[in-house]
Amino acid sequence: MRTGKSDISGWLVRPAGRHLWAVLVTVLAASAAHAARVTSDGGMDNAIVVRAARTWLAGGSPYDDPHFLYLPSAVLAAVPQALLPGAVLRVLVPCAVTVLLTLAWACALRLHRVPLGSRLAALGLTGLALGFAPFGHLVRLGNWTVTATVALPLALLLASRGRWTAAGAVIGAAVALKPLLAPVVLLFVFAGRWRALAAAVLVPALASAAAALAMPDPAGFFTRTLPFLLHGDDGFVRLYEASPAAVLPRLGVPPALAQGLAVAAASAGVLCAYRRWRRADPGPLRLAETGAGLMLSAFLVSRPSYDHYLLVALPLLLAGLPYAGSVARGAWFWIALVPQVPGLAWPWLESERRRAFRDAFTLCVLAVTVARQARTGVPGTDDHAGAGRAPEPVPEPARAPATPF
């Protein structure tokens, strides 16, 4: 990573002072503690998974609950939680989600070869926790989206080091817990990594098939959950969906037209992700922007599509800030995040039932911003560190005065 004194990237990759780390730890601890105080059973969404596991342990079908939207393998993964008392879960789950979000940020940084002790490492995660509302929402909900948030940057990190099959296994394991990362298999198709593709498909398929045999309703995911996901006809869920297919009908657009527009936008996003991959400039931005582009395209059309899904792609994009030509260097990246600033009241959109309009704005603007990288990215600006070398350290000026930052 070639940086100069006049560029912000040089300041960002230098070591962070103890004060910055103290602020970060305080913010994360406060977020987890608040979630533990205001939620029960480790978050509303986590409670759905735990309840499904308890139903299965009692001999019932986890798919009796229409809001259980996971593969059969997730039921077995939730059994350890189902055996814990609620008082333990309400503390354990927000702490675990916070730790996993921190790990996701660390993987995104290492993908971009940014030192984990840098100012960007401390300030970036602090900014996400304080300035990006879905971060706090995910901690409070305890949603298993956090597994996808970790798995995507970890898989891309492995791929950047040539370990494509391991990357496929990581994606497959994440899909076995929650099918959110299924669109990432297209990245393995783009790259012609067929062993990685096989791993990404076989791991969840085998795990789910084995778990389904232990279910009283082995085909419940296909007979109950898939129709629910495809039709998205839950009135309560629809109020919180950020997909244009859900938001546009609330503005008077016919549902069929809204769905068609969402499918067209998602298809265009996938095409742009393919073009971004084909623009084979070396460096980490190629993997990060292709992976983020695929996921954002999927969120445009998926039902449901919630605000905390954005955390799957955002750390990957934000960690590329030190690189010239990265998405995070553009004004529209930051404009997209403005509606997600906590505590900022928006006229006519103050209600939680209307925040989906803000989430849809962020999702659509981010998707377009990433898609434009296929055409307007700056070739040759994201490879300063080379294809396999760590970024060159930026030395401090001689006799620089001591500073806590």
Side-chain angles (χ1 to χ4, degrees), residues 212-227:
L213 295 176
M215 303 287 164
D217 183 11
F221 179 82
F222 297 98
T223 60
R224 302 189 189 186
T225 301
L226 270 185

Side-chain angles (χ1 to χ4, degrees), residues 2-215:
R2 193 171 300 154
T3 59
K5 294 180 183 178
S6 61
D7 194 279
I8 185 62
S9 56
W11 185 87
L12 285 172
V13 299
R14 291 191 176 99
R18 288 175 295 179
H19 291 76
L20 289 181
W21 294 115
V23 170
L24 174 60
V25 171
T26 301
V27 168
L28 295 180
S31 175
H34 174 70
R37 287 185 67 246
V38 301
T39 62
S40 61
D41 292 333
M44 182 178 74
D45 289 356
N46 181 69
I48 294 173
V49 185
V50 172
R51 188 164 59 245
R54 288 173 178 164
T55 299
W56 176 71
L57 289 173
S61 172
Y63 295 102
D64 289 340
D65 184 351
H67 293 122
F68 180 72
L69 307 178
Y70 303 82
L71 292 169
S73 48
V75 178
L76 300 186
V79 167
Q81 288 191 72
L83 300 176
L84 294 174
V88 174
L89 287 177
R90 68 183 301 173
V91 175
L92 178 63
V93 170
C95 292
V97 171
T98 302
V99 169
L100 289 174
L101 286 171
T102 303
L103 180 59
W105 177 239
C107 290
L109 290 171
R110 293 312 301 144
L111 170 64
H112 291 90
R113 304 164 192 150
V114 175
L116 295 182
S118 65
R119 289 164 173 156
L120 179 59
L123 290 173
L125 189 55
T126 303
L128 285 172
L130 286 178
F132 191 63
F135 187 101
H137 296 167
L138 185 56
V139 174
R140 289 193 296 274
L141 291 171
N143 194 284
W144 281 29
T145 295
V146 72
T147 58
T149 301
V150 176
L152 183 56
L154 175 59
L156 297 182
L157 176 61
L158 291 170
S160 72
R161 297 178 176 179
R163 301 175 61 185
W164 282 90
T165 304
V170 168
I171 296 298
V175 170
L177 295 176
K178 184 169 183 175
L180 195 63
L181 290 186
V184 178
V185 300
L186 289 175
L187 175 61
F188 303 134
V189 176
F190 295 169
R193 301 288 179 166
W194 308 118
R195 289 185 180 180
L197 176 63
V201 173
L202 288 177
V203 168
L206 295 177
S208 294
L213 295 176
M215 303 287 164

Side-chain angles (χ1 to χ4, degrees), residues 131-366:
F132 191 63
F135 187 101
H137 296 167
L138 185 56
V139 174
R140 289 193 296 274
L141 291 171
N143 194 284
W144 281 29
T145 295
V146 72
T147 58
T149 301
V150 176
L152 183 56
L154 175 59
L156 297 182
L157 176 61
L158 291 170
S160 72
R161 297 178 176 179
R163 301 175 61 185
W164 282 90
T165 304
V170 168
I171 296 298
V175 170
L177 295 176
K178 184 169 183 175
L180 195 63
L181 290 186
V184 178
V185 300
L186 289 175
L187 175 61
F188 303 134
V189 176
F190 295 169
R193 301 288 179 166
W194 308 118
R195 289 185 180 180
L197 176 63
V201 173
L202 288 177
V203 168
L206 295 177
S208 294
L213 295 176
M215 303 287 164
D217 183 11
F221 179 82
F222 297 98
T223 60
R224 302 189 189 186
T225 301
L226 270 185
F228 178 88
L229 291 173
L230 293 175
H231 293 92
D233 54 2
D234 187 293
F236 173 78
V237 169
R238 192 182 304 117
L239 293 173
Y240 299 93
E241 291 185 32
S243 166
V247 170
L248 290 178
R250 296 175 66 180
L251 297 174
V253 178
L257 177 59
Q259 185 67 34
L261 291 173
V263 170
S267 301
V270 171
L271 177 60
C272 288
Y274 175 69
R275 290 185 60 188
R276 177 64 184 93
W277 178 259
R278 292 287 294 173
R279 205 189 80 216
D281 45 317
L285 291 186
R286 183 190 186 198
L287 278 167
E289 292 172 359
T290 303
L294 287 172
M295 292 309 304
L296 290 170
S297 299
F299 298 155
L300 289 173
V301 74
S302 66
R303 304 288 302 274
S305 183
Y306 300 125
D307 65 337
H308 52 78
Y309 287 8
L310 295 170
L311 281 164
V312 175
L314 188 60
L316 286 171
L317 303 175
L318 183 60
L321 185 60
Y323 290 85
S326 68
V327 171
R329 289 289 188 99
W332 281 103
F333 173 81
W334 299 100
I335 292 172
L337 304 184
V338 171
Q340 304 301 329
V341 176
L344 183 59
W346 293 85
W348 302 288
L349 300 179
E350 299 93 344
S351 168
E352 279 298 312
R353 294 191 169 195
R354 290 188 174 182
R355 73 158 292 118
F357 295 104
R358 289 183 277 158
D359 301 334
F361 175 86
T362 299
L363 170 60
C364 293
V365 174
L366 272 182

